[in-house]
Amino acid sequence: MSLRNELFAALQSDSPDHEIPMPDIPWPDYYDRLVQETKKAIEQFAHEHPNETVSYFAYYAQPASGRVSLFFDTPENSLQSVKAAEKRWSESVRGRRLESPVFHAGAYTTMVRNSALPFSTDTSRFKFRGYAHIDFPDWEEITEREDYPEPPEVPGQTDYLSGWAAKFMWCAIHELAEDGTFEKLDLASPTMLGFDIDEGSQIIVRLMNLG
């Protein structure tokens, strides 16, 4: 079964265990549009920037406003961002936080969020920020419907639309990696493919060109 078919299998099921809220929403159409528009944007980027080596491709989604943006980064820009972030974070901790009782209470969590990495996951510092945007105007209306599911009370769970957005982007990345779309770019070794939602943590979904 393809990823796409697996993603929407529950929509075709009569089992009560697979009951999907708001079944009238055209979720498959949204997914197909995300994939097709991403393909066009990648092809356009490859045409406009044939000499740029891509080290990171990322989606950034704001489901409630109905926008998914595409970001591209390069090895050189990523290294500059890493150097700047490491310097900024080190100076911040050593200069103002180590002695703070407030910082002590959340020290581990804060340090996890600011882990040193050999590449930047901060899309706001990517070289090509918001290179393309894919808009879904219906999404804002979906969240305002009376039958929109209540936000989950369980920590770590997302709301209904964000859950669909996360699955869309995860599956789209794998589909585009497997059909050769990303290979139209000059890929670094390795190249990260990922996404985040509403300024959350960047999720690296797949690595390409591992050598």
Side-chain angles (χ1 to χ4, degrees), residues 42 171-183 193 206-208:
I42 290 174
C171 290
I173 285 172
H174 281 292
E175 181 173 334
L176 296 169
E178 292 166 9
D179 73 4
T181 296
F182 285 110
E183 294 176 8
L193 311 176
R206 187 156 179 159
L207 300 175
M208 292 194 67

Side-chain angles (χ1 to χ4, degrees), residues 47-61:
H47 176 74
E48 293 179 350
H49 305 283
N51 298 320
E52 292 283 5
T53 299
V54 174
S55 59
Y56 207 129
F57 166 86
Y59 284 120
Y60 171 59

Side-chain angles (χ1 to χ4, degrees), residues 42-190:
I42 290 174
E43 291 171 356
Q44 180 179 334
F45 185 93
H47 176 74
E48 293 179 350
H49 305 283
N51 298 320
E52 292 283 5
T53 299
V54 174
S55 59
Y56 207 129
F57 166 86
Y59 284 120
Y60 171 59
Q62 297 172 290
S65 64
R67 169 161 284 191
V68 178
S69 301
L70 279 58
F71 292 69
F72 297 83
D73 204 10
T74 65
E76 296 79 13
N77 186 72
S78 180
L79 181 58
Q80 291 178 6
S81 297
V82 166
K83 289 179 178 179
E86 185 177 27
K87 183 175 185 295
R88 184 173 59 253
W89 172 237
S90 177
E91 290 177 349
S92 174
V93 171
R94 297 183 65 179
R96 299 188 298 275
R97 295 190 176 183
L98 284 179
E99 77 287 359
S100 167
V102 175
F103 174 70
H104 181 85
Y108 179 75
T109 301
T110 303
M111 290 177 179
V112 167
R113 291 176 178 172
N114 292 274
S115 298
L117 295 171
F119 51 86
S120 174
T121 61
D122 183 356
T123 53
S124 70
R125 298 180 182 276
F126 277 20
K127 184 171 183 179
F128 298 93
R129 299 178 293 277
Y131 174 79
H133 305 287
I134 306 171
D135 291 315
F136 301 89
D138 296 350
W139 286 10
E140 186 172 358
E141 298 176 5
I142 289 173
T143 62
E144 297 173 352
R145 282 178 38 166
E146 292 184 359
D147 59 342
Y148 187 76
E150 291 291 329
E153 297 180 358
V154 180
Q157 292 190 356
T158 59
D159 76 348
Y160 188 59
L161 182 56
S162 293
W164 275 110
K167 292 192 293 184
F168 285 171
M169 293 183 288
W170 190 91
C171 290
I173 285 172
H174 281 292
E175 181 173 334
L176 296 169
E178 292 166 9
D179 73 4
T181 296
F182 285 110
E183 294 176 8
K184 297 177 181 180
L185 303 168
D186 180 18
L187 300 177
S189 180

